[in-house]
Amino acid sequence: TTTTTTTSELSSQVKEIVAKISSEIGQDGLKILVFVDSTPQAEKAFRKALLMRRPQDFVLIVNVVEDTLEGVSKISPSIILSDPKFFESITKAKKDAGAKISAEYTEKCRKEGVEHFHAAVVHTKGPTETSQFIADVGTNIVFVGTRGLTGFHHMMSGSFSNYILHHTTCDVIIVKK
């Protein structure tokens, strides 16, 4: 199944996901979280997770929609100030793209015969909430791709995989470009 959430609904979504995992996971099954987006690196992370999972494991596929305009606001804060609907339109576009990505990965799981999985679009205020989501779900291992950004692009968008690596308590596998 696929779900979408807003920040205010994050806690209830975590409860829903934990309940689903608890009802489906095998006795010694792991909770495997895979962060996905539209990049080839996310696809590689997904494939790596499927290769390493066992039949009793639960695969949680997550597309994160951050409620920020970090890169845009650093480049041109006047864009945000000149049009109050700008932020809303960007967030809606991100949510729509996330729902499409989650649907695609739901289909991939079905085609690959993954029995225990859930795909979700998680809307957060940033990396801190994302790492809290990982903990609240009780994740055992995270798979995340890296885009390999350097220089200016890295400075503008930061490194999601690096943040997850250093701010979670579970194992993290970063799948390189």
Side-chain angles (χ1 to χ4, degrees):
T1 57
T2 302
T3 58
T4 303
T5 187
T6 62
T7 302
S8 62
E9 299 168 333
L10 191 56
S11 180
S12 62
Q13 185 186 24
V14 167
K15 290 176 186 172
E16 174 190 323
I17 291 170
V18 169
K20 181 170 178 51
I21 292 170
S22 297
S23 70
E24 291 189 25
I25 196 167
Q27 186 175 3
D28 63 342
L30 297 175
K31 297 171 194 162
I32 299 171
L33 190 151
V34 184
F35 285 109
V36 297
D37 56 23
S38 60
T39 64
Q41 293 78 14
E43 177 70 21
K44 283 179 72 174
F46 173 73
R47 294 285 163 208
K48 180 75 75 174
L50 292 189
L51 284 172
M52 296 180 75
R53 78 170 174 87
R54 303 166 301 162
Q56 68 269 31
D57 295 338
F58 190 95
V59 179
L60 177 58
I61 301 157
V62 173
N63 178 267
V64 174
V65 175
E66 287 189 5
D67 193 15
T68 64
L69 291 174
E70 230 173 271
V72 173
S73 63
K74 286 178 184 175
I75 295 169
S76 180
S78 62
I79 292 173
I80 296 167
L81 297 174
S82 66
D83 184 2
K85 300 272 185 196
F86 179 75
F87 182 79
E88 290 175 24
S89 66
I90 295 293
T91 302
K92 183 183 179 330
K94 287 180 178 181
K95 283 183 182 180
D96 292 348
K100 181 180 176 193
I101 290 165
S102 289
E104 290 169 4
Y105 278 94
T106 294
E107 186 59 30
K108 289 177 184 185
C109 281
R110 288 189 178 121
K111 284 182 179 176
E112 294 289 334
V114 178
E115 186 177 345
H116 307 294
F117 74 93
H118 181 79
V121 179
V122 177
H123 188 111
T124 71
K125 289 182 180 171
T128 303
E129 276 191 357
T130 303
S131 61
Q132 187 60 50
F133 174 82
I134 292 167
D136 290 349
V137 170
T139 305
N140 299 104
I141 188 166
V142 173
F143 286 81
V144 62
T146 180
R147 293 180 290 168
L149 298 179
T150 59
F152 179 75
H153 294 293
H154 184 269
M155 178 186 76
M156 296 312 291
S157 64
S159 172
F160 181 80
S161 57
N162 189 52
Y163 188 90
I164 297 303
L165 177 65
H166 292 288
H167 293 89
T168 58
T169 56
C170 65
D171 292 329
V172 177
I173 294 180
I174 298 176
V175 181
K176 291 188 173 189
K177 196 172 174 183

